[in-house]
Amino acid sequence: MFRKLYDFFSSVKLAIFLLLTLAVTSIIGTIIEQQQDPEKYLREYGETTYKIFKFLGFTDVYHSWWYILLLTLLAVNLIVCSIKRLPKIWKVAMEPRKTLPSGYEKSLRVYHSITFSAQLEEVKRKVVEALREKRYKTEVSKEGTEEVHVFGDKNVFARFGVYIVHLGVLIVLIGGLVTAIFGFRGYMNLSEGTMSNLVSFFSGPKVIQLPFYVKCNKFTIDFYPSGMPKAYISDLSVIENGREVLRKEIRVNDPLKYKGIYFYQASYGQGEAFIKLKSPRGEEVIPVAFGQPIKVGEGVYLRVISIDGRTMTIGIDLIEGDQIKTYGIKPFISYQVPGTDIYFAVVDVKPTFYTGLQVSKDPGTWIVWVGSTVLILGLIVAFFIPHRRVWARLEKRGEGKTRLVIGGLTNKGTEGLARELEEVLGVVKSSYCNNTPKED
């Protein structure tokens, strides 16, 4: 059973299938706008199609359980594939043959054979020096009075370039998983002078509570003569433990960042409601922008979403857990929040502009950047840095003559290796220019 699982997860076919599936789902996530208001999906696709998209997770692809599962499977596949193939690569890289037996040079892609009128020791020294100048890690692997073997190794780390690529991809996948699991994207609507620590998710009724408040000190919007918005600017403050810890004026593409959470200037709207909350602890009137929730109980939130000027009916959402219910109420009339001893009433509505902030937390961003850097380095190593090995056999041929057989292998760029060997031979030849070298 374990062997079958091991073979399954080490399969290249599985890796190709997962990559293609992720590509297709990413296309779906690009075509279908992600984490939008349900009303927008209903307008564009209709109720039936929206329910199908919602069930399949197409409205929030990158946080869906099956997308996270695909990323996890790809990460496991990469790890198992790497583990399975590492012993072979390690043996090739770290346990090379260091001698050049007679006739073995014919199996090499590049080799030369030449006889010098020089002593064996002198030729050996020149070969070693020339290889070291070419940045080969050189050693005399076998030495005798009649025969000497020299081994040169260069860029052995290039053999592990594919593993650097795998590591980079794995780090990127981890970054994606961290964001999918611990990150979020939502919105806040704030009118001037109001503050909140509640963020509504685009993809559903979920509301989260930040450990600090964001206050809109001022919101400015300019229009073109045609009525199209020209620019909108929000003056925001971060309030923590009752005091202002950060203040910034934000524009489109110039967000406020605090504790890893970004607040982007995303939209604007019109409408501010004043809600009176009454409980055994007292009563208070809370000004709040349309679409922005207020907390009325543990896990229970209330938000005003619309007003019908003809019938004076106010649309509200009551959010409790994963459930959202929409009601139509009348102003100034008190309503009880179901399951609580709290009553609320909308006592005033003003056509005030509010700022729409997109709030996002992406804790995996820096991990993705690290992974991308490692991935690029791995690709450079894998595609542009060759691992080269050179073997040389020096044979004593009579008195004062030495035969040199030199050849090499490379995992890429045979032309480059051939050029290097010719340069090494050129250095050795130049030392004995008065002699007559003879190519065999």
Side-chain angles (χ1 to χ4, degrees), residues 164-425:
I164 301 174
V165 172
H166 284 186
L167 178 62
V169 173
L170 189 61
I171 294 172
V172 170
L173 290 176
I174 291 171
L177 286 170
V178 168
T179 294
I181 297 171
F182 301 105
F184 65 83
R185 183 174 295 178
Y187 67 90
M188 292 177 100
N189 294 336
L190 298 175
S191 52
E192 282 190 7
T194 66
M195 65 179 180
S196 180
N197 67 339
L198 302 179
V199 177
S200 302
F201 275 36
F202 286 115
S203 56
K206 187 176 180 181
V207 176
I208 63 169
Q209 195 168 312
L210 301 178
F212 55 86
Y213 286 81
V214 177
K215 180 180 179 181
C216 178
N217 302 301
K218 188 176 182 181
F219 177 58
T220 305
I221 182 168
D222 293 329
F223 295 92
Y224 289 108
S226 63
M228 294 291 291
K230 182 178 181 181
Y232 29 101
I233 304 167
S234 298
D235 180 3
L236 303 179
S237 293
V238 175
I239 310 297
E240 190 170 24
N241 298 323
R243 63 185 185 88
E244 182 181 88
V245 295
L246 180 64
R247 184 167 182 169
K248 182 178 179 180
E249 193 173 77
I250 69 168
R251 295 171 170 80
V252 175
N253 297 325
D254 182 23
L256 178 148
K257 178 186 177 184
Y258 186 69
K259 289 189 173 179
I261 301 175
Y262 290 83
F263 298 85
Y264 294 89
Q265 182 66 72
S267 62
Y268 70 96
Q270 198 170 6
E272 181 181 22
F274 291 80
I275 301 174
K276 179 189 283 188
L277 292 180
K278 186 177 180 181
S279 69
R281 295 178 294 279
E283 64 179 54
E284 60 177 332
V285 176
I286 302 173
V288 62
F290 278 23
Q292 180 62 24
I294 60 173
K295 188 174 182 179
V296 293
E298 194 59 41
V300 182
Y301 304 93
L302 178 75
R303 65 186 174 201
V304 175
I305 56 174
S306 65
I307 182 170
D308 188 331
R310 292 180 295 105
T311 62
M312 293 304 293
T313 300
I314 299 170
I316 65 159
D317 282 342
L318 187 64
I319 304 167
E320 186 172 5
D322 293 332
Q323 300 295 319
I324 180 169
K325 296 179 181 178
T326 302
Y327 300 94
I329 66 170
K330 296 297 182 179
F332 303 109
I333 298 177
S334 290
Y335 297 87
Q336 185 176 11
V337 178
T340 72
D341 55 359
I342 298 173
Y343 292 81
F344 71 93
V346 178
V347 296
D348 196 7
V349 174
K350 294 183 179 179
T352 307
F353 281 109
Y354 63 78
T355 179
L357 306 175
Q358 179 177 297
V359 186
S360 65
K361 182 180 182 181
D362 192 354
T365 299
W366 70 270
I367 302 176
V368 171
W369 278 110
V370 170
S372 300
T373 303
V374 173
L375 177 60
I376 292 171
L377 291 174
L379 290 172
I380 291 171
V381 171
F383 287 101
F384 299 106
I385 300 179
H387 175 217
R388 293 174 180 167
R389 279 181 175 153
V390 172
W391 293 265
R393 186 176 70 248
L394 296 91
E395 303 168 350
K396 188 174 182 180
R397 291 293 179 90
E399 193 63 36
K401 288 193 176 184
T402 301
R403 179 175 181 253
L404 169 64
V405 180
I406 186 168
L409 284 175
T410 180
N411 63 338
K412 63 180 73 72
T414 304
E415 299 82 1
L417 173 63
R419 188 168 54 251
E420 277 193 344
L421 287 184
E422 287 172 3
E423 290 171 358
V424 169
L425 278 176

